[in-house]
Amino acid sequence: MQQPKLFMLMLGGRPPGRNTEQHDMFFGIGETMKDLVPAIKTFWPEAKNNLHVDAWREVNFVDGYAVKVVPRQQSESINVEGPDKLFFLNLGGYKPGEFDEFHYKMLVVAPDMADATTQARRSAFYKHTGFKGAASHIDDKYGVDVDDMQLVKEMLPEEIKQQYSILLSPITELPEDEIHLGYFQLHKL
């Protein structure tokens, strides 16, 4: 049996009645991406047969921390609730003459949403994607393991919430997670 992992996916689909492809973010826990397919279909049933993955990442390292999924029973014997939490932020911005809103999705480790927001505002995207009258902004704020905000367990299917916790451990050598981009059909995962 493999170690379960936290996955971050950008789902795409064109639900009935929509003129263009829509996107949403999905976080799941499994040994492989294929393990997530039933939960993905349940998460966005309106997209039906054209639901696919446009980008995905196995979340292992963020901001000087190793990210591990541990069984919930094990998490009760160790302190998984440290001072820092894992946040997902969706930044939005504009470019002059471009008929679009551009987005940048980021994970940050911070003690609270205020600090996570400060980190987002320091990003190159936030600084360079906006202009007078159309400033960069934070579209959505999702806690990926934050008290009094949307916890990762609240974003996961109920049976997964009962099974796993996320453990953040400081690490000195920080490799980057590989980001996979493309059009990944669910039945081919």
Side-chain angles (χ1 to χ4, degrees), residues 64-66 168-172:
Y65 287 85
L168 299 175
S169 304
I171 187 170
T172 54

Side-chain angles (χ1 to χ4, degrees), residues 1-67:
M1 179 177 239
Q2 295 181 24
Q3 171 72 29
K5 303 166 195 124
L6 176 64
F7 290 92
M8 174 180 168
L9 292 78
M10 182 171 66
L11 303 178
R14 196 166 133 269
R18 298 292 172 219
N19 294 320
T20 62
E21 181 177 338
Q22 312 289 293
H23 292 96
D24 204 347
M25 297 303 296
F26 176 84
F27 288 87
I29 292 175
E31 293 178 12
T32 67
M33 284 272 292
K34 186 175 184 160
D35 297 338
L36 306 178
V37 172
I40 291 169
K41 289 179 178 180
T42 299
F43 175 74
W44 200 356
E46 304 83 13
K48 298 184 181 175
N49 292 333
N50 61 34
L51 183 60
H52 59 277
V53 177
D54 281 313
W56 66 275
R57 169 184 178 180
E58 184 180 305
V59 182
N60 294 300
F61 307 102
V62 177
D63 291 344
Y65 287 85
V67 179

Side-chain angles (χ1 to χ4, degrees), residues 6-187:
L6 176 64
F7 290 92
M8 174 180 168
L9 292 78
M10 182 171 66
L11 303 178
R14 196 166 133 269
R18 298 292 172 219
N19 294 320
T20 62
E21 181 177 338
Q22 312 289 293
H23 292 96
D24 204 347
M25 297 303 296
F26 176 84
F27 288 87
I29 292 175
E31 293 178 12
T32 67
M33 284 272 292
K34 186 175 184 160
D35 297 338
L36 306 178
V37 172
I40 291 169
K41 289 179 178 180
T42 299
F43 175 74
W44 200 356
E46 304 83 13
K48 298 184 181 175
N49 292 333
N50 61 34
L51 183 60
H52 59 277
V53 177
D54 281 313
W56 66 275
R57 169 184 178 180
E58 184 180 305
V59 182
N60 294 300
F61 307 102
V62 177
D63 291 344
Y65 287 85
V67 179
K68 295 206 185 275
V69 173
V70 296
R72 191 172 170 103
Q73 298 82 0
Q74 181 182 343
S75 71
E76 293 167 1
S77 64
I78 56 177
N79 183 13
V80 295
E81 293 295 324
D84 290 316
K85 311 292 181 211
L86 182 61
F87 290 88
F88 165 74
L89 292 98
N90 183 29
L91 306 180
Y94 306 95
K95 295 179 183 179
E98 296 281 337
F99 191 82
D100 206 351
E101 178 184 7
F102 299 91
H103 288 93
Y104 180 70
K105 285 106 174 91
M106 64 187 293
L107 293 174
V108 297
V109 174
D112 53 40
M113 184 52 87
D115 190 78
T117 300
T118 298
Q119 288 185 48
R121 288 187 174 131
R122 289 186 203 133
S123 72
F125 179 90
Y126 193 89
K127 291 178 182 177
H128 302 293
T129 312
F131 54 95
K132 187 175 181 175
S136 296
H137 56 279
I138 298 171
D139 273 350
D140 301 306
K141 299 174 187 175
Y142 295 104
V144 179
D145 191 15
V146 180
D147 292 336
D148 301 322
M149 296 188 146
Q150 196 165 353
L151 297 165
V152 73
K153 67 181 181 181
E154 299 304 322
M155 299 170 74
L156 299 168
E158 191 59 40
E159 64 273 8
I160 298 297
K161 293 178 200 180
Q162 301 304 318
Q163 292 178 16
Y164 299 108
S165 295
I166 293 177
L167 174 65
L168 299 175
S169 304
I171 187 170
T172 54
E173 292 184 29
L174 186 66
E176 289 192 27
D177 290 337
E178 183 177 357
I179 295 176
H180 305 268
L181 303 170
Y183 184 91
F184 305 97
Q185 297 173 320
L186 295 184
H187 72 276

